[in-house]
Amino acid sequence: MKKIYLFLSALTVIAGFAACAADETDAAEEQGGVVSHVRFSVADFEWADTEAPASTRHRTRAEKSVSSVNFVWTDKDTVGIYSTSGSQMEFPIDTGAGEKYAEFNGGCWALKNKYVYTAYYPFNKYNLDRSKIPFVYGTAKQVGNDNVDYLTEYDYIVSQSIMPTDGEVTFTFRHIGALAKFIFTMPEADDLMAFSLVAPTKAFPKELDLNLSGLIPKYTVAKSSKSFNMRLSDISVDAGGKAVLYALMPYTNLSGMTLTAILYGNKGKCYTATLDGQKMDSGGAYQYKATLTALPNTHEWVDLGLPSGLKWATCNIGAEKPEKFGNYYAWGETVPPASGDYSWESYSLCNGSATTLTRYNNNPSYGFVDNLTELEPDDDAATVQWGFPWHIPSYEDFDELRRECKWAWGTKNGVYGCKFTGPNGNTLFLPAAGYRNIESLNFAGSYGYYWSSSLNKENPSQVHIFYFQSSFLGWGVFNRYYGRSIRPVCD
């Protein structure tokens, strides 16, 4: 796992390696065939904003001082190297952990003058195809205001192809991503939970495929999104205070776009501002500043004191009160069907039957295989309807609710359902909203059926659901096309 220090001068990492046997290495060096010194250097991030620090780089362990941002290597760092022939080589750190300079040891591998090499970081032993190395920009989490530690996970770097000469080779790494710094002035005091930056189009790459089969590394955007999202923790800001957030994101051209920044606070409170988009190049650093405006509470949540810290919404999607049933959704669909028909024939993620699935399938007997077994944000009704960080609970989320809370069947304003009392004494009510099949509503008032985000891996035409009635609470697996309730969560 890489970590970061923030600093101002250039960094060159000198790396060495050892062959499997000393006599073999000596013989090869006498013949001039083995490279005796491998050097790695990393370019600076270059700030586009002159008010920002002159230089900031991120890789291993991160620390900040008053005037600089430095990084050093750690004992977990490993560089991957591909040659023009054969599989990739693993160069783990040998000495120099905690320092600006480190030596890397190739073990049984030795670089040779006649080959061309390309290096990338962080190394992954499962990258077997040099033409398609995946770099995934997942949902990051910044812990603490004005903190950069989490950035280490997303600082992907790569070098151009190099041919060793005279027993030496220098790899010059370039950052694939761009660094963004956001400074938001808060209109009121709050504890911040999440941040979204929303564009009018799918402008944010989420997944990149790196191609190292040629002399110059190439990138292909595999998946994009309209929003860039971050989870936040331990960030409490006073009224008039500043929330300072950092993000490493893929290079993207946001120039000419009006972006919407959204900060999510306590109990569903939201704060927003508009930002002028900038062209964000690889290795560039960019700064955004804005004063936020408070919005009315949108979707409230309750903290039950669960070990995970998960917060549960107080209402179903489509409901304005905890006891209201709300909307019914087929699994993986983000709007109720306009026809009111819930069936395989109307289900959008198949071609009319349980064996013609087009998405979320790990078995060829059921249709197209993509091996997706958890809902992605674009197919999550909670995320689409309510926005980040809301999502449909997973199997594990519901199971934590079952394990950690006391439950009782009862009524709220005359509606039957299940009341959960958390470890901290706070309560959550889920109405017994029944389910929809074809065009009929079934068991409303006597059973509650709630979608999880988790596919049944044994039969991908079905999904795990959480359900209850007056004397039972537990799990079941049911067909994906049924219309069921959704109670969102956020973390």
Side-chain angles (χ1 to χ4, degrees):
M1 182 71 180
K2 48 181 186 169
K3 302 204 171 174
I4 281 184
Y5 270 104
L6 303 173
F7 91 23
L8 295 178
S9 61
L11 172 68
T12 300
V13 179
I14 302 175
F17 59 88
C20 293
D23 56 346
E24 293 177 358
T25 304
D26 294 339
E29 288 180 340
E30 289 174 1
Q31 297 168 8
V34 176
V35 179
S36 57
H37 291 87
V38 182
R39 298 181 177 89
F40 297 92
S41 66
V42 184
D44 289 346
F45 279 109
E46 297 182 1
W47 285 94
D49 189 337
T50 57
E51 296 181 7
S55 171
T56 301
R57 296 192 311 278
H58 299 270
R59 183 159 331 88
T60 51
R61 188 171 67 247
E63 281 189 358
K64 295 198 313 176
S65 63
V66 174
S67 60
S68 65
V69 184
N70 302 331
F71 70 83
V72 299
W73 296 92
T74 67
D75 58 3
K76 300 297 184 182
D77 288 330
T78 299
V79 175
I81 298 178
Y82 279 98
S83 71
T84 50
S85 176
S87 58
Q88 70 169 330
M89 295 168 283
E90 177 181 356
F91 275 62
I93 192 170
D94 188 20
T95 60
E99 303 293 336
K100 293 187 300 182
Y101 303 98
E103 295 182 355
F104 287 70
N105 189 331
C108 294
W109 299 103
L111 304 188
K112 298 182 179 180
N113 287 324
K114 64 180 180 179
Y115 293 109
V116 175
Y117 297 94
T118 306
Y120 75 99
Y121 178 91
F123 167 80
N124 187 332
K125 65 180 179 181
Y126 298 109
N127 290 337
L128 303 179
D129 183 358
R130 76 187 66 203
S131 67
K132 194 175 182 180
I133 298 174
F135 287 158
V136 179
Y137 289 81
T139 301
K141 184 174 184 178
Q142 178 174 321
V143 180
N145 199 12
D146 198 10
N147 191 9
V148 296
D149 288 345
Y150 92 90
L151 293 173
T152 58
E153 185 176 352
Y154 299 101
D155 187 22
Y156 302 119
I157 55 177
V158 65
S159 78
Q160 290 191 2
S161 299
I162 300 293
M163 179 178 289
T165 57
D166 299 326
E168 295 187 358
V169 61
T170 299
F171 292 100
T172 301
F173 283 106
R174 301 292 179 185
H175 301 276
I176 293 177
L179 172 66
K181 181 179 182 181
F182 301 91
I183 303 175
F184 296 119
T185 302
M186 290 288 294
E188 59 188 62
D190 209 339
D191 300 322
L192 302 178
M193 292 182 57
F195 164 61
S196 288
L197 186 64
V198 183
T201 63
K202 289 188 174 182
F204 297 102
K206 294 176 61 179
E207 298 179 10
L208 297 178
D209 288 332
L210 172 64
N211 187 342
L212 295 182
S213 59
L215 293 178
I216 299 177
K218 297 180 180 180
Y219 317 101
T220 302
V221 177
K223 184 178 294 186
S224 297
S225 175
K226 291 180 65 174
S227 63
F228 178 85
N229 303 312
M230 293 170 52
R231 302 187 190 281
L232 307 176
S233 178
D234 296 335
I235 299 180
S236 298
V237 185
D238 294 330
K242 290 180 170 48
V244 181
L245 311 178
Y246 295 86
L248 270 174
M249 60 182 67
Y251 61 92
T252 184
N253 188 1
L254 304 174
S255 180
M257 295 185 184
T258 298
L259 308 177
T260 302
I262 307 171
L263 277 174
Y264 299 86
N266 195 22
K267 298 293 184 181
K269 198 70 182 261
C270 290
Y271 308 89
T272 187
T274 57
L275 303 173
D276 293 328
Q278 306 176 56
K279 182 180 180 183
M280 303 182 68
D281 295 319
S282 296
Y286 306 86
Q287 186 162 271
Y288 296 87
K289 295 181 179 180
T291 297
L292 298 170
T293 300
L295 298 177
N297 278 31
T298 50
H299 308 289
E300 293 189 358
W301 50 259
V302 59
D303 183 356
L304 296 169
L306 301 172
S308 68
L310 194 70
K311 312 298 190 298
W312 285 78
T314 57
C315 298
N316 291 347
I317 297 180
E320 296 180 355
K321 296 181 179 180
E323 68 273 16
K324 296 296 184 181
F325 292 166
N327 298 332
Y328 297 83
Y329 295 86
W331 191 80
E333 294 187 345
T334 58
V335 294
S339 64
D341 177 40
Y342 295 84
S343 65
W344 284 122
E345 289 76 14
S346 63
Y347 183 54
S348 65
L349 301 184
C350 76
N351 288 320
S353 70
T355 57
T356 58
L357 300 177
T358 58
R359 191 157 169 78
Y360 299 100
N361 180 25
N362 61 351
N363 188 328
S365 298
Y366 290 85
F368 174 73
V369 174
D370 55 15
N371 288 315
L372 295 175
T373 58
E374 288 285 335
L375 275 179
E376 296 195 323
D378 291 345
D379 301 313
D380 187 317
T383 306
V384 172
Q385 295 296 327
W386 287 12
F388 180 83
W390 294 105
H391 58 92
I392 294 176
S394 67
Y395 180 101
E396 291 76 13
D397 295 335
F398 271 118
D399 203 46
E400 181 186 51
L401 184 71
R402 178 189 63 82
R403 291 192 324 268
E404 301 293 336
C405 296
K406 297 178 181 179
W407 71 276
W409 179 261
T411 62
K412 187 176 183 67
N413 295 328
V415 177
Y416 282 98
C418 192
K419 177 183 176 181
F420 297 86
T421 303
N424 62 4
N426 291 338
T427 61
L428 177 75
F429 183 79
L430 299 183
Y435 71 92
R436 288 193 174 275
N437 181 26
I438 313 299
E439 295 181 357
S440 64
L441 177 61
N442 304 280
F443 299 112
S446 55
Y447 280 81
Y449 298 91
Y450 286 79
W451 284 129
S452 81
S453 62
S454 305
L455 193 71
N456 177 18
K457 297 177 184 178
E458 304 301 320
N459 180 347
S461 70
Q462 299 178 334
V463 172
H464 293 284
I465 70 160
F466 186 70
Y467 77 105
F468 52 82
Q469 45 108 326
S470 60
S471 60
F472 173 83
L473 178 147
W475 286 101
V477 288
F478 291 89
N479 289 334
R480 291 158 53 164
Y481 73 80
Y482 283 112
R484 303 197 187 278
S485 306
I486 294 176
R487 179 59 64 94
V489 293
C490 60
D491 50 13

